[in-house]
Amino acid sequence: MIENRSLLLPYAAPYFAYVIIASLLGDVVSDEINYILRIIAATGLLIWGWRWYIPLGGSKSFLSSMLQGGVFGIVGCAAWILLLLPFTEAAEATPWSAGGFALRVVSAGLLVPVFEELMIRGFAFRLALQWDQCRREKIDDPLYTALHERSINDLKPGEWSWMAVIISTLVFMIGHGIPEWPAAIAYGLLMSFLLIKQKDLIACIVAHGITNLSLAAYIALTGSWQLW
């Protein structure tokens, strides 16, 4: 058994590398260079950590997960736009350069869904579930036990609790800017429902990718740059 404390770094490293590069170099290098560095770092860490990740598939067929992910992705994009627009100002937004936009589309559509879903719905959701199980068992220190004496690999696909849904959604929300919080909460709940329904991460990754690509298309067609 690989304890959860040992799994924390592989699951979290790609996400935090991506965020740290974005934060530290945002005003230092161009958008194009920034995204190239993020893509290289996050991809490299995903490859390094892949041996520790839970299987992405489950009991449902790959085609079923793709179809479910597609439907939920479109719904998620619509919800994101509707819940974010009231908290943004179009006048404050400026268009991206063609190169920066293209790199962001590639990153948001293909890379971000993989490492975010692995960390949020793959690790945080399952760790919160095991903490909740320990708490219900009246274990003295449920968080310590969940981290040091449990492994998310031991959980069956589809296992869940409301605490796991709530905590993983809050983790997802915190990773976004404050104006995005209503949209992030709704999206986190939607992805948790998809995870429970479909019992695999493939559906969530596909949905996340479709949402991001659909959002990029909407922005390009309408000029709603404030949404990015």
Side-chain angles (χ1 to χ4, degrees):
M1 180 183 74
I2 304 177
E3 299 86 356
N4 289 327
R5 62 175 178 175
S6 299
L7 294 171
L8 179 58
L9 181 61
Y11 277 93
Y15 177 90
F16 282 102
Y18 190 90
V19 171
I20 289 170
I21 291 172
S23 300
L24 295 182
L25 301 181
D27 297 325
V28 178
V29 299
S30 67
D31 291 333
E32 290 83 355
I33 296 298
N34 193 301
Y35 268 97
I36 289 171
L37 292 175
R38 285 193 244 177
I39 290 170
I40 291 172
T43 301
L45 288 168
L46 277 173
I47 293 171
W48 164 75
W50 204 261
R51 75 189 83 170
W52 290 290
Y53 299 149
I54 60 173
L56 300 184
S59 59
K60 306 291 181 68
S61 70
F62 181 74
L63 179 59
S64 172
S65 294
M66 292 286 289
L67 292 174
Q68 292 287 331
V71 172
F72 275 74
I74 296 297
V75 172
C77 180
W80 190 275
I81 292 169
L82 290 172
L83 291 171
L84 180 55
L85 273 175
F87 300 98
T88 60
E89 291 289 341
E92 298 177 0
T94 55
W96 284 57
S97 67
F101 183 76
L103 285 167
R104 181 160 187 172
V105 169
V106 170
S107 175
L110 301 177
L111 179 60
V112 171
V114 178
F115 68 69
E116 275 201 351
E117 291 306 320
L118 278 168
M119 190 185 82
I120 305 298
R121 257 66 64 175
F123 185 80
F125 184 98
R126 288 178 166 229
L127 177 62
L129 173 57
Q130 290 186 316
W131 166 80
D132 192 32
Q133 290 172 340
C134 292
R135 184 181 63 85
R136 290 171 182 268
E137 293 168 10
K138 312 254 185 233
I139 293 174
D140 289 339
D141 192 339
L143 181 58
Y144 180 91
T145 302
L147 281 170
H148 296 268
E149 300 176 16
R150 297 285 191 273
S151 174
I152 62 169
N153 297 316
D154 295 333
L155 291 170
K156 296 178 182 178
E159 285 192 75
W160 70 284
S161 74
W162 280 113
M163 289 302 296
V165 171
I166 292 168
I167 291 172
S168 63
T169 297
L170 290 176
V171 172
F172 182 70
M173 180 199 78
I174 291 169
H176 293 80
I178 293 176
E180 296 176 313
W181 281 5
I185 290 171
Y187 198 80
L189 293 173
L190 183 69
M191 289 300 101
S192 292
F193 177 71
L194 177 59
L195 176 66
I196 295 164
K197 179 179 182 294
Q198 197 64 20
K199 298 181 174 60
D200 66 38
L201 277 179
I202 285 289
C204 295
I205 291 171
V206 171
H208 203 145
I210 293 294
T211 294
N212 288 351
L213 291 174
S214 300
L215 179 61
Y218 177 84
I219 290 168
L221 290 171
T222 64
S224 303
W225 297 98
Q226 73 274 20
L227 296 176
W228 259 7

